[in-house]
Amino acid sequence: MNENLPPCPQCSCEYTYEMNALVVCPECGHEWVPAEGGADSGAPAEQVVKDSVGNVLKDGDTVVVVKALKVKGSPSGIKAGTKVRNIRLVDGVDGHDIDCRIDGFGAMQLKSSVVKKG
């Protein structure tokens, strides 16, 4: 019946129940809103990645490279104005927080400071 309710964040009791918009623990009497329960349980906060002009980026966005980039092993590099579709936000190395595939170059990681939302 209440298999999908979270356990109590204070005493870990699994016999919680709903009362209007709240979830209540019968053992310790703790009451909380279910959306807040996940944030209180110590879950890692979602990272916020912003582009070069301050727009918030999310997975699946299309971005435009704002300055020319040199690429190791490539004679040309990536030109300013290159569109990159379907980006993924990652916890990369050295500030490279965008994982993407660029036509003509393949898979690579970019820094959010060199792109703008497009």
Side-chain angles (χ1 to χ4, degrees):
M1 164 166 112
N2 62 353
E3 296 169 1
N4 58 354
L5 292 176
C8 177
Q10 287 190 346
C11 70
S12 300
C13 173
E14 59 185 21
Y15 300 109
T16 57
Y17 62 94
E18 285 183 329
M19 186 172 65
N20 297 332
L22 298 175
V23 177
V24 181
C25 175
E27 287 189 13
C28 69
H30 179 64
E31 299 176 351
W32 73 98
V33 177
E36 292 178 0
D40 292 344
S41 65
E46 185 177 325
Q47 68 177 13
V48 176
V49 178
K50 296 185 178 184
D51 66 1
S52 61
V53 293
N55 297 324
V56 177
L57 298 174
K58 60 183 182 201
D59 287 347
D61 279 346
T62 298
V63 295
V64 177
V65 178
V66 294
K67 69 178 199 174
L69 304 172
K70 295 180 184 178
V71 179
K72 276 187 181 177
S74 173
S76 59
I78 299 172
K79 296 179 181 178
T82 302
K83 248 187 191 180
V84 181
R85 292 178 178 82
N86 200 16
I87 64 169
R88 285 186 306 144
L89 301 178
V90 295
D91 218 4
V93 181
D94 247 0
H96 293 83
D97 45 10
I98 296 175
D99 197 18
C100 62
R101 178 173 302 277
I102 299 177
D103 294 338
F105 289 96
M108 63 175 37
Q109 290 188 338
L110 297 172
K111 292 183 178 182
S112 58
S113 61
V114 297
V115 299
K116 72 175 182 176
K117 199 169 185 176

